[in-house]
Amino acid sequence: MTRIRSFHDPATGKVWGTRTDGINVTIFAGMPGKLKETDKPQADAACARRYLDKEEGARLRKGMVLAAPAAASGEPVMLRHLGGGYTGALAIAELDGGLLLNRYDDTRQGDEIWRLAPDGSAERLAFAGPNTLLWRMLPVAGLERVLLLADHQIRAWTPATGLIEPLTRANGKPASFLDCQGAVAAWHEQPELVVRDLAAGKDLLRLAIEPELYGGHTPQLEGALSADSALLAYCVQPGRIQVLDIAGGTRQAIIEGDFKMVGQLAFTPDRRALIVKENYGGWRLLAFDLASAAPRAGWPEAADPGSSNFALDAARGRIAFHMRGHVHVHELATMRPLNKIAIDQIVKRVALTWTADGRLGARTDLGCVGLYAVST
């Protein structure tokens, strides 16, 4: 099957691209209508992939953009190099039909907020502040605000005005999390776990917690709200997750297992199960039924997602997770495999998000931003 990718320079209009059929690679370049072709045959498929990664990465870093609205499933609709130094903080979300991203500004030593449109055009929107990294950015439905997990402090950014204001004081200990469903948000404001209705401006729950140190070095703290904002799951001890009814403050379930430090939690859209990404230990992706607190039957072995996040597409019942350079898309109810996508320009880590129209956004540790077509 022939793979064709065409990149363009927004400033000059020049085109550069690749046409690949097995191990036969052809490079085309020049102005539209005046393209020159050069054959670059490769020894085998692995060599062809390495050659394409190298050459396409070089053009992306020079400012060229891939824009392919009609891309086939598994192929990029858009690729662009956003750049900035890699700090470990990769935040990604959808905003107004585009991708909201953080980018480290070396000169000011803090994160900027950028928006990339589906055609690859980029716009810098705000600066979070010096010595500030953004670990999560979550738009709040109906309030025209975006919640920021800025190191270990919760802030609110208003895109219309550019104003960034603190909602909490900065935590003294390096432990924090942020989740938001609708207009209800949950976070850690030491020494309490807080659930707040942002539309009403009132707290729904405050609970004193004390994160334990995993291995004597890293505080264990992660939390998640159900889609209807009725339940809160949180983990402050390796191997133990608690689920609370927010309205009554009563415990609904305790999930215990041999999982080590929890790096991400999420309820399934039907609230029947909790998905757990394990950090350290086996680095597994697990699921537990809330009714029985037992591992979910039929859940496959999904080992070594590393420190990448998983992303749920609640509208279409899908989950996307990363393993060894590929993102796997499965049907959430049955975990039936749907797609396997080779992520462009990555070393080990990618941040994922779904868009409202069913595409998959990806931000890699090499500074590349991609928007991928995914069949339903």
Side-chain angles (χ1 to χ4, degrees):
M1 182 177 179
T2 302
R3 192 197 81 160
I4 300 174
R5 288 188 175 182
S6 180
F7 299 76
H8 72 277
D9 186 329
T12 66
K14 288 184 178 180
V15 173
W16 181 94
T18 60
R19 183 170 62 250
T20 309
D21 186 1
I23 62 174
N24 299 311
V25 178
T26 299
I27 302 295
F28 54 89
M31 296 301 294
K34 298 180 180 179
L35 299 179
K36 179 181 178 181
E37 295 192 354
T38 306
D39 291 330
K40 298 287 185 178
Q42 302 297 306
D44 53 40
C47 288
R49 179 58 193 257
R50 286 194 295 269
Y51 177 79
L52 292 169
D53 283 346
K54 177 184 175 183
E55 295 299 319
E56 292 177 356
R59 271 66 188 183
L60 287 166
R61 289 189 294 275
K62 290 179 180 178
M64 300 195 89
V65 175
L66 179 148
S73 179
E75 286 295 314
V77 174
M78 179 273 290
L79 288 176
R80 180 175 182 135
H81 183 73
L82 189 61
Y86 177 61
T87 63
L90 297 180
I92 185 170
E94 184 183 32
L95 181 69
D96 297 334
L99 294 177
L100 196 65
L101 304 139
N102 65 321
R103 179 188 183 276
Y104 186 73
D105 183 342
D106 295 282
T107 59
R108 293 188 288 180
Q109 298 187 341
D111 271 352
E112 300 173 325
I113 301 173
W114 284 70
R115 179 182 176 274
L116 263 63
D119 64 359
S121 57
E123 179 184 13
R124 178 190 172 279
L125 301 177
F127 179 58
N131 303 312
T132 298
L133 301 180
L134 299 178
W135 297 90
R136 291 203 79 184
M137 297 190 289
L138 297 177
V140 184
L143 296 187
E144 298 182 349
R145 300 168 84 192
V146 178
L147 294 183
L148 309 175
L149 178 55
D151 292 321
H152 302 293
Q153 182 182 34
I154 307 302
R155 303 177 190 175
W157 168 52
T158 304
T161 64
L163 178 65
I164 298 177
E165 56 183 327
L167 297 186
T168 71
R169 62 186 181 277
N171 288 341
K173 297 179 181 179
S176 56
F177 80 94
L178 173 65
D179 194 21
C180 185
Q181 298 292 337
V184 176
W187 60 64
H188 182 220
E189 187 175 353
Q190 290 177 355
E192 294 178 308
L193 186 155
V194 178
V195 179
R196 181 172 298 172
D197 185 331
L198 297 171
K202 66 177 183 179
D203 291 342
L204 304 179
L205 178 70
R206 278 187 173 266
L207 179 69
I209 59 171
E210 183 60 41
E212 291 187 1
L213 286 179
Y214 172 77
H217 52 74
T218 305
Q220 167 61 74
L221 178 60
E222 190 55 63
L225 292 164
S226 60
D228 59 3
S229 305
L231 300 178
L232 172 72
Y234 70 96
C235 180
V236 294
Q237 301 168 278
R240 192 171 193 262
I241 299 168
Q242 300 188 59
V243 181
L244 298 180
D245 172 75
I246 293 172
T250 56
R251 185 178 293 115
Q252 297 296 297
I254 295 178
I255 295 170
E256 295 181 314
D258 65 349
F259 50 90
K260 305 301 180 185
M261 185 173 178
V262 171
Q264 186 182 357
L265 292 171
F267 288 89
T268 55
D270 60 10
R271 260 181 36 175
R272 295 182 179 180
L274 190 68
I275 302 172
V276 179
K277 190 183 80 68
E278 179 188 36
N279 285 357
Y280 307 117
W283 295 90
R284 295 167 295 176
L285 189 63
L286 308 167
F288 296 88
D289 283 313
L290 291 184
S292 65
R296 192 169 196 180
W299 190 267
E301 285 288 333
D304 198 21
S307 54
S308 300
N309 71 314
F310 63 84
L312 296 183
D313 180 6
R316 298 166 184 83
R318 300 182 292 183
I319 182 172
F321 56 93
H322 171 253
M323 287 198 303
R324 305 180 188 94
H326 288 80
V327 166
H328 300 257
V329 180
H330 287 223
E331 184 180 62
L332 190 55
T334 64
M335 284 303 286
R336 177 174 61 90
L338 299 174
N339 296 94
K340 183 179 178 182
I341 301 170
I343 296 297
D344 293 88
Q345 305 299 310
I346 182 174
V347 178
K348 290 184 178 180
R349 187 168 172 235
V350 61
L352 303 170
T353 192
W354 289 99
T355 64
D357 60 1
R359 292 170 173 174
L360 186 68
R363 166 73 183 281
T364 76
D365 49 11
L366 281 181
C368 182
V369 182
L371 190 63
Y372 292 84
V374 185
S375 62
T376 55

